[in-house]
Amino acid sequence: MAVSRTRRLAVTLVVATTVGLLAGCTPAAEPNPSTSSRPDGSEPAVTHNGPQPTAMSTEDGVEVWDLTVPPSAEAFGIDTSDGSSSRVRPGAYSSSGGGGRPVRFLLPGGKTVDVRANEVIFQLNDSPEGVTDPTSGEVLVPAGRKFSLRVDAPAAEGAEAGVAAYQEALAAVGLPADTVDELRQKIDGGPTGRPGDAPQSMGVSADLPRQQGVGFGVSTTFQPDSDDLVFLLEYDADWDVVPIP
């Protein structure tokens, strides 16, 4: 299965997020230490640069995001008040520590997804005119405001751990395990590039059926030419385009 359009949105998101995080972070929600999986009983503090998000709450130490609300800068804590002309803006919720923090997503249709996350990164991307292929006339980027979400889960080291983490993620989202065999085949196949080529990542993904204008899925990627395989697990969401306020 090819990596979905939602996954490709993450490339732009990473660039914007790096800029946002370098600008400095201010404290946001801190999970309740009583729910910690750490030996010292503490969860990593969460930092965020922007207004308090209206779609986020904390319940028994769990960071809860209601993704059933209409997407907006206010809902996801994205700062649009600095006068910048940038059309891409992030709202990043970052924590350190290899085990991540407990985060819950409430999805349309009554589905709940619980994950461990190091990064929860929302992004808005404004395109007032949109982008159309000059040859075919195909609309590549619709005019309006596009919201997307990327969640970085703790990485897994080694093939067995990488497959197990992906299986658990599929189960957490409520997706079938069809793509697990595809992941194993890519691991067993090893590098596909020619000697001297730049390293190429490989991966698989799976998505829930779109509901109420929201898509949600999970993916894992790795570099097959690495001596020690490291699997990067991500959850992604994107929303239908809305008008720019």
Side-chain angles (χ1 to χ4, degrees):
M1 179 181 294
V3 176
S4 70
R5 181 172 60 87
T6 303
R7 312 290 173 260
R8 296 196 293 271
L9 288 171
V11 175
T12 303
L13 187 150
V14 170
V15 176
T17 299
T18 301
V19 175
L21 293 177
L22 290 177
C25 294
T26 56
E30 294 191 14
N32 189 329
S34 65
T35 65
S36 174
S37 60
R38 292 183 165 195
D40 61 1
S42 64
E43 285 288 355
V46 181
T47 55
H48 165 58
N49 182 29
Q52 184 69 18
T54 59
M56 191 270 281
S57 60
T58 303
E59 298 178 7
D60 296 326
V62 178
E63 182 179 313
V64 180
W65 287 95
D66 185 356
L67 304 188
T68 68
V69 303
S72 67
E74 294 76 17
F76 303 141
I78 300 175
D79 189 1
T80 60
S81 64
D82 60 3
S84 170
S85 60
S86 174
R87 294 181 178 180
V88 180
R89 295 170 182 267
Y93 300 80
S94 308
S95 60
S96 59
R101 65 187 190 271
V103 181
R104 178 173 298 144
F105 296 101
L106 309 181
L107 306 182
K111 181 176 287 294
T112 298
V113 178
D114 287 290
V115 307
R116 301 290 301 188
N118 293 322
E119 301 279 354
V120 174
I121 309 168
F122 293 90
Q123 176 181 281
L124 70 79
N125 192 334
D126 284 346
S127 183
E129 297 83 22
V131 178
T132 303
D133 187 305
T135 303
S136 66
E138 178 187 1
V139 177
L140 303 176
V141 179
R145 174 167 287 182
K146 181 76 174 179
F147 286 92
S148 57
L149 165 67
R150 167 176 160 174
V151 181
D152 289 348
E157 298 184 7
E160 290 186 9
V163 171
Y166 183 60
Q167 285 180 307
E168 291 176 5
L170 290 172
V173 177
L175 287 163
D178 301 354
T179 50
V180 173
D181 286 342
E182 181 184 356
L183 176 60
R184 288 197 177 101
Q185 291 171 4
K186 291 186 175 182
I187 294 171
D188 294 340
T192 58
R194 295 174 299 180
D197 286 350
Q200 297 292 321
S201 293
M202 301 180 69
V204 295
S205 66
D207 299 274
L208 290 169
R210 224 172 163 78
Q211 287 202 52
Q212 298 176 26
V214 183
F216 192 91
V218 62
S219 65
T220 188
T221 57
F222 68 100
Q223 288 193 349
D225 56 351
S226 174
D227 293 335
D228 299 314
L229 294 182
V230 176
F231 293 78
L232 305 180
L233 183 67
E234 298 174 2
Y235 302 84
D236 296 285
D238 75 311
W239 285 258
D240 289 350
V241 173
V242 297
I244 300 174

PDB file of all heavy atoms in Angstrom, residues 4 18 43 45 61 84 118 121 152 211 214 218-219:
ATOM      1  N   SER A   4      -0.204   7.348   2.026  1.00  0.00           N
ATOM      2  CA  SER A   4      -1.345   8.152   1.612  1.00  0.00           C
ATOM      3  C   SER A   4      -1.007   9.626   1.536  1.00  0.00           C
ATOM      4  O   SER A   4       0.029  10.087   1.976  1.00  0.00           O
ATOM      5  CB  SER A   4      -2.494   7.955   2.607  1.00  0.00           C
ATOM      6  OG  SER A   4      -2.168   8.570   3.826  1.00  0.00           O
ATOM      7  N   THR A  18       9.542  22.928  12.936  1.00  0.00           N
ATOM      8  CA  THR A  18      10.891  23.248  13.382  1.00  0.00           C
ATOM      9  C   THR A  18      11.037  24.738  13.613  1.00  0.00           C
ATOM     10  O   THR A  18      11.599  25.185  14.613  1.00  0.00           O
ATOM     11  CB  THR A  18      11.909  22.777  12.329  1.00  0.00           C
ATOM     12  OG1 THR A  18      11.760  21.380  12.135  1.00  0.00           O
ATOM     13  CG2 THR A  18      13.314  23.083  12.773  1.00  0.00           C
ATOM     14  N   GLU A  43       5.540  12.418  34.642  1.00  0.00           N
ATOM     15  CA  GLU A  43       5.380  12.461  33.195  1.00  0.00           C
ATOM     16  C   GLU A  43       6.179  13.654  32.668  1.00  0.00           C
ATOM     17  O   GLU A  43       6.380  14.640  33.377  1.00  0.00           O
ATOM     18  CB  GLU A  43       3.898  12.646  32.835  1.00  0.00           C
ATOM     19  CG  GLU A  43       3.058  11.401  33.023  1.00  0.00           C
ATOM     20  CD  GLU A  43       3.335  10.336  31.972  1.00  0.00           C
ATOM     21  OE1 GLU A  43       4.123  10.614  31.025  1.00  0.00           O
ATOM     22  OE2 GLU A  43       2.788   9.242  32.097  1.00  0.00           O
ATOM     23  N   ALA A  45       6.970  17.138  31.050  1.00  0.00           N
ATOM     24  CA  ALA A  45       6.193  18.359  30.880  1.00  0.00           C
ATOM     25  C   ALA A  45       5.984  18.620  29.400  1.00  0.00           C
ATOM     26  O   ALA A  45       6.834  18.301  28.565  1.00  0.00           O
ATOM     27  CB  ALA A  45       6.920  19.528  31.534  1.00  0.00           C
ATOM     28  N   GLY A  61      -4.930  12.808  33.987  1.00  0.00           N
ATOM     29  CA  GLY A  61      -3.550  12.791  33.526  1.00  0.00           C
ATOM     30  C   GLY A  61      -3.372  12.499  32.052  1.00  0.00           C
ATOM     31  O   GLY A  61      -2.239  12.399  31.575  1.00  0.00           O
ATOM     32  N   SER A  84       2.502  37.851  10.916  1.00  0.00           N
ATOM     33  CA  SER A  84       3.353  37.217   9.909  1.00  0.00           C
ATOM     34  C   SER A  84       2.560  36.955   8.642  1.00  0.00           C
ATOM     35  O   SER A  84       1.371  36.691   8.668  1.00  0.00           O
ATOM     36  CB  SER A  84       3.933  35.908  10.457  1.00  0.00           C
ATOM     37  OG  SER A  84       4.566  35.185   9.426  1.00  0.00           O
ATOM     38  N   ASN A 118       5.304  11.674  21.690  1.00  0.00           N
ATOM     39  CA  ASN A 118       6.327  12.663  22.015  1.00  0.00           C
ATOM     40  C   ASN A 118       5.960  14.029  21.441  1.00  0.00           C
ATOM     41  O   ASN A 118       6.271  15.058  22.020  1.00  0.00           O
ATOM     42  CB  ASN A 118       7.686  12.230  21.455  1.00  0.00           C
ATOM     43  CG  ASN A 118       8.232  10.994  22.138  1.00  0.00           C
ATOM     44  OD1 ASN A 118       8.085  10.824  23.338  1.00  0.00           O
ATOM     45  ND2 ASN A 118       8.866  10.121  21.368  1.00  0.00           N
ATOM     46  N   ILE A 121       1.393  17.625  16.707  1.00  0.00           N
ATOM     47  CA  ILE A 121       1.682  18.819  15.912  1.00  0.00           C
ATOM     48  C   ILE A 121       0.539  19.087  14.934  1.00  0.00           C
ATOM     49  O   ILE A 121       0.320  18.318  13.990  1.00  0.00           O
ATOM     50  CB  ILE A 121       3.001  18.666  15.125  1.00  0.00           C
ATOM     51  CG1 ILE A 121       4.135  18.212  16.052  1.00  0.00           C
ATOM     52  CG2 ILE A 121       3.371  19.982  14.445  1.00  0.00           C
ATOM     53  CD1 ILE A 121       5.374  17.767  15.319  1.00  0.00           C
ATOM     54  N   ASP A 152       3.941  12.056  16.587  1.00  0.00           N
ATOM     55  CA  ASP A 152       5.136  11.216  16.625  1.00  0.00           C
ATOM     56  C   ASP A 152       5.111  10.358  17.875  1.00  0.00           C
ATOM     57  O   ASP A 152       5.168  10.879  18.993  1.00  0.00           O
ATOM     58  CB  ASP A 152       6.402  12.077  16.630  1.00  0.00           C
ATOM     59  CG  ASP A 152       6.638  12.753  15.290  1.00  0.00           C
ATOM     60  OD1 ASP A 152       5.965  12.383  14.315  1.00  0.00           O
ATOM     61  OD2 ASP A 152       7.491  13.659  15.219  1.00  0.00           O
ATOM     62  N   GLN A 211     -14.682  10.382   7.878  1.00  0.00           N
ATOM     63  CA  GLN A 211     -15.975  10.663   8.495  1.00  0.00           C
ATOM     64  C   GLN A 211     -16.073  12.139   8.844  1.00  0.00           C
ATOM     65  O   GLN A 211     -15.150  12.702   9.443  1.00  0.00           O
ATOM     66  CB  GLN A 211     -16.179   9.834   9.770  1.00  0.00           C
ATOM     67  CG  GLN A 211     -16.453   8.357   9.518  1.00  0.00           C
ATOM     68  CD  GLN A 211     -17.156   7.715  10.695  1.00  0.00           C
ATOM     69  OE1 GLN A 211     -18.183   8.194  11.176  1.00  0.00           O
ATOM     70  NE2 GLN A 211     -16.608   6.609  11.176  1.00  0.00           N
ATOM     71  N   VAL A 214     -13.088  14.310   8.206  1.00  0.00           N
ATOM     72  CA  VAL A 214     -11.827  14.054   8.909  1.00  0.00           C
ATOM     73  C   VAL A 214     -11.274  12.693   8.499  1.00  0.00           C
ATOM     74  O   VAL A 214     -11.999  11.686   8.514  1.00  0.00           O
ATOM     75  CB  VAL A 214     -12.015  14.078  10.447  1.00  0.00           C
ATOM     76  CG1 VAL A 214     -10.672  13.887  11.148  1.00  0.00           C
ATOM     77  CG2 VAL A 214     -12.666  15.374  10.898  1.00  0.00           C
ATOM     78  N   VAL A 218      -2.480   5.691  10.418  1.00  0.00           N
ATOM     79  CA  VAL A 218      -1.219   5.408  11.091  1.00  0.00           C
ATOM     80  C   VAL A 218      -0.217   4.916  10.054  1.00  0.00           C
ATOM     81  O   VAL A 218      -0.600   4.282   9.054  1.00  0.00           O
ATOM     82  CB  VAL A 218      -1.413   4.362  12.222  1.00  0.00           C
ATOM     83  CG1 VAL A 218      -1.913   3.037  11.666  1.00  0.00           C
ATOM     84  CG2 VAL A 218      -0.117   4.151  13.004  1.00  0.00           C
ATOM     85  N   SER A 219       1.063   5.211  10.262  1.00  0.00           N
ATOM     86  CA  SER A 219       2.095   4.753   9.348  1.00  0.00           C
ATOM     87  C   SER A 219       3.366   4.453  10.127  1.00  0.00           C
ATOM     88  O   SER A 219       3.557   4.932  11.251  1.00  0.00           O
ATOM     89  CB  SER A 219       2.393   5.812   8.278  1.00  0.00           C
ATOM     90  OG  SER A 219       2.958   6.977   8.873  1.00  0.00           O
TER      91      SER A 219
END
